[in-house]
Amino acid sequence: MQESPTGEEIKEPIFSMEPNSASGPDEFNGFFFQVACGGAFKSIELIELEEEFKGFHIRKQGPHINHLCYAYDLVIFTSGDKRSIKMIMDQLSKYQLASGTEINQDKSQFYTQEGTKSHIIRRIKRCTGYKQANFPFTYLVCPIYTSRKKICHFTKISNKVMNKVGGWQGRFLSKGDMAIIIKYILQSQTYPKATLDQIEMYFSNFFWGQRDGKNNYHWSSCGKMCYPIEEGGVGFKSLHDICNTFLVKRWWRLRTEDTLWAKFMEAKYCIRSNIMSRGISPTDFMAWKHLVKIRDKVEVNIMWKIYEGNLLFWWDDWTSQGSIKHILYLSSIAGSTKVKDFIVGNEWNLELIAREVPDRAVNTIQGVALGDPMARDLAIWEPSTNGRFSCGTAFQTLRQKRALTHFLSKVWVKEIPFKISFFMWRMLKNRLPLDDRIQLLGLQVDSNCCF
C-alpha cells in the first residue's frame, strides 16, 4: 500500500458486504460495521453543526475534532458543557437502538485535564454514567500522557521486551537463532528514545548469553555490531536509527499529506510562522520537538514539482538545486511567501521575481517547469528511484555509516552457518577469549595449548 485509503475507499467495501454475513474473528457481521461507519460516527460529526454544541478545538483556525475511532473503539472530545454532553449521549443511545449492540459501560471512561473543577467532574459522571480515569494510561501498548515524557511511562514496554528475552534465554539457541530473533522480532518494534539504551542492553545480554545465572562477558558492544556486514558489523540495526526513521516518516506525512493530524499540528504550531522556520519553545510537546530536530536532515532529501504552487518560495526545494534560501546563502527569511504568488496565468512573473532575488536566481527559476495549477504539488523523495517515500530508503539515508571493509564482509556467506561466520568475524576483530585478551581484563590464566 503506497498511501492511506480515503474515507470513500473504506466505505465502499463496508457497504458492499452482506448485512447478515457470517461473523468474522471479531464476532461482528457486516451490519455492525455498516451501522458503525454510517451511523454512530456520522451522527457525532453532525452534532458539531448544532449551535448549542460546545466542542473541542485547539485553535479557531484549526480543525474541530470531536471524535477519533480505531477498530471498534471510539474516543469523543468535548467540553464539560452539560447540554453538549447530553447531545452526545443521545446520539450514542440512538446508535445502540439502531445497531442492536450495547456500549460497554464498565470499559467506558472519561478523562479530564489536570485542575478540572470537582463540580464539572461530577456533572460528567451524572450525564454519562462512566467512571473517571486519570493520565497516564496505556492504549494498544502505547502510553498516553499529558505532561513531560518520563521513563516511568514506558516501564511496561521495557518489561515486555525483557520478558520476551527472558523467555528465550533458557532455550538452547544457536548464535544464528539469536541473531534472527533480534533482527526480525525484537528490532521490528519501535520504542521511545528514553528507553532505547536499556532495551539494547537486554538485547546484548540475550545475544551473549548467561552462565550460572550471570551474564557472559560482551566481547563486542551492541553499537559496534549494529552496522551492515559490508561496514564491519553483524547486520543488526541501531534502535536509535530505527526511531529516527519513523520520525522521518512522520515529517514526510506532515509535509505531504492532507490528514487530520497534519492540520492539527499546523494549527497548533504554525499559525504565526511557517512550518520550516518554526523553532522550539519550552511549552511545546515532545512530538513537535523531535520533528524539528530531524527536519533539516529530511528536507534536503525532498524535492517538489510545482502544480498549484502552494509551496514556500524561500524554504522548499522546488528548483531541483536546493531552496532559494540555500542558493542565495540567506541565514534567515521571515514570512510565508508562496510560489503561487509569483505565478500569473500559469507562467512565471519574472518582473516580480526580479525585485526579490538576484539575476542568477531569476535564471534558475525561469528554467523550472510549471504543472497543472488544479493539481496538488508533488513531493519527490530523492533517495528512492521512483520518488516515493519508503522507510527502507529513509533508514539507509539517515543511519550512521562507516567505511566499507571488504575483507570482513567475505566471511558472511549464505552457505556458511551464522555461528561459523560469527566466529570468523570475532577472530578478525580480535574478539575471541584468548590469553592476551583475557589478561587485558585483569585475569591471569595459564594457556592450555600443548605447543
Side-chain angles (χ1 to χ4, degrees):
M1 183 178 291
Q2 299 296 334
E3 56 185 24
S4 300
T6 63
E8 293 302 320
E9 289 174 337
I10 294 174
K11 288 181 181 179
E12 183 178 350
I14 289 178
F15 284 97
S16 64
M17 295 170 62
E18 177 63 35
N20 297 320
S21 60
S23 302
D26 51 15
E27 300 182 359
F28 295 112
N29 60 11
F31 176 73
F32 171 83
F33 291 103
Q34 290 170 2
V35 171
C37 183
F41 305 152
K42 187 66 177 178
S43 62
I44 292 175
E45 286 180 359
L46 294 176
I47 295 177
E48 192 74 40
L49 302 177
E50 300 289 339
E51 293 183 2
E52 299 86 359
F53 182 76
K54 297 180 180 179
F56 166 83
H57 57 273
I58 194 69
R59 293 182 187 274
K60 291 183 179 180
Q61 302 93 328
H64 289 210
I65 304 172
N66 60 12
H67 77 279
L68 297 173
C69 54
Y70 184 85
Y72 39 80
D73 291 336
L74 178 63
V75 182
I76 301 174
F77 300 92
T78 184
S79 63
D81 177 66
K82 183 178 180 179
R83 182 177 296 181
S84 300
I85 296 173
K86 284 189 174 181
M87 292 172 68
I88 291 174
M89 298 308 297
D90 288 342
Q91 292 297 333
L92 293 178
S93 297
K94 292 177 182 177
Y95 160 73
Q96 292 180 91
L97 290 173
S99 65
T101 59
E102 292 186 3
I103 295 173
N104 192 324
Q105 294 279 346
D106 294 331
K107 292 185 178 180
S108 300
Q109 302 168 332
F110 72 89
Y111 295 83
T112 61
Q113 68 180 24
E114 187 177 354
T116 302
K117 295 181 179 179
S118 58
H119 72 274
I120 297 178
I121 295 176
R122 290 195 299 268
R123 180 198 304 160
I124 298 174
K125 285 182 179 178
R126 287 195 305 269
C127 294
T128 63
Y130 302 155
K131 57 186 177 182
Q132 183 187 15
N134 299 311
F135 295 99
F137 67 94
T138 301
Y139 181 69
L140 298 177
V141 189
C142 298
I144 309 298
Y145 54 93
T146 58
S147 58
R148 292 179 56 195
K149 182 169 64 174
K150 301 176 182 177
I151 295 178
C152 62
H153 294 159
F154 306 99
T155 302
K156 290 184 179 180
I157 295 179
S158 299
N159 290 340
K160 185 177 180 180
V161 175
M162 185 172 63
N163 291 336
K164 278 189 176 182
V165 172
W168 287 314
Q169 190 75 65
R171 303 183 184 181
F172 295 99
L173 299 173
S174 68
K175 288 297 181 187
D177 296 332
M178 293 178 178
I180 290 174
I181 289 174
I182 291 176
K183 286 182 183 180
Y184 301 109
I185 301 179
L186 296 178
Q187 287 189 336
S188 64
Q189 308 172 51
T190 59
Y191 311 96
K193 189 175 180 179
T195 60
L196 295 184
D197 293 336
Q198 185 180 19
I199 292 174
E200 286 190 340
M201 180 187 69
Y202 295 154
F203 291 175
S204 293
N205 292 341
F206 168 71
F207 184 75
W208 292 105
Q210 293 181 339
R211 180 175 296 176
D212 300 330
K214 295 182 180 181
N215 294 323
N216 291 333
Y217 181 76
H218 298 182
W219 289 98
S220 183
S221 67
C222 186
K224 293 181 179 179
M225 292 191 293
C226 288
Y227 286 94
I229 57 177
E230 297 83 4
E231 298 175 17
V234 180
F236 297 157
K237 294 180 179 178
S238 166
L239 290 182
H240 293 274
D241 290 336
I242 292 175
C243 284
N244 284 336
T245 299
F246 285 99
L247 272 178
V248 172
K249 181 179 180 181
R250 198 178 303 169
W251 180 263
W252 171 265
R253 297 189 66 181
L254 178 62
R255 292 299 323 271
T256 63
E257 297 182 10
D258 187 25
T259 61
L260 179 62
W261 174 76
K263 293 176 181 177
F264 175 85
M265 294 294 284
E266 289 184 7
K268 183 172 178 61
Y269 296 107
C270 304
I271 292 297
R272 295 182 178 86
S273 60
N274 66 67
I275 196 171
M276 294 295 295
S277 61
R278 174 65 159 83
I280 297 174
S281 66
T283 57
D284 292 340
F285 287 124
M286 290 303 299
W288 175 255
K289 292 180 179 179
H290 288 319
L291 287 173
V292 172
K293 290 178 181 177
I294 203 75
R295 177 175 59 194
D296 292 342
K297 295 180 181 179
V298 186
E299 285 295 329
V300 296
N301 295 291
I302 300 177
M303 188 181 71
W304 293 88
K305 185 173 178 57
I306 302 173
Y307 287 99
E308 63 180 341
N310 196 29
L311 303 172
L312 295 171
F313 180 82
W314 299 101
W315 297 86
D316 287 329
D317 177 11
W318 44 268
T319 66
S320 75
Q321 300 179 29
S323 65
I324 297 296
K325 176 179 177 291
H326 174 75
I327 293 174
L328 300 179
Y329 302 102
L330 301 175
S331 58
S332 62
I333 289 291
S336 302
T337 307
K338 298 294 180 69
V339 171
K340 61 185 177 182
D341 297 335
F342 297 88
I343 299 175
V344 178
N346 205 32
E347 292 183 357
W348 289 111
N349 187 339
L350 298 178
E351 182 180 348
L352 181 59
I353 293 173
R355 298 176 193 169
E356 300 290 334
V357 299
D359 291 341
R360 60 189 177 90
V362 173
N363 295 332
T364 300
I365 295 171
Q366 190 175 5
V368 177
L370 300 176
D372 182 4
M374 302 304 294
R376 288 192 62 187
D377 300 311
L378 177 65
I380 299 172
W381 180 247
E382 291 190 298
S384 68
T385 55
N386 59 9
R388 295 177 178 176
F389 178 86
S390 68
C391 287
T393 56
F395 178 83
Q396 293 299 332
T397 302
L398 273 79
R399 71 173 178 83
Q400 296 181 357
K401 297 181 176 67
R402 291 195 304 196
L404 297 178
T405 54
H406 297 289
F407 76 96
L408 281 175
S409 64
K410 297 296 183 182
V411 304
W412 302 99
V413 182
K414 274 188 177 181
E415 291 73 16
I416 301 177
F418 179 91
K419 63 179 181 180
I420 303 299
S421 296
F422 185 62
F423 177 85
M424 293 292 293
W425 180 86
R426 290 178 63 184
M427 182 183 70
L428 293 172
K429 299 275 287 186
N430 194 20
R431 293 292 186 270
L432 291 175
L434 303 177
D435 287 355
D436 57 336
R437 296 290 301 174
I438 294 176
Q439 289 173 3
L440 292 176
L441 301 177
L443 301 175
Q444 296 298 325
V445 294
D446 293 330
S447 175
N448 293 327
C449 181
C450 58
F451 297 101

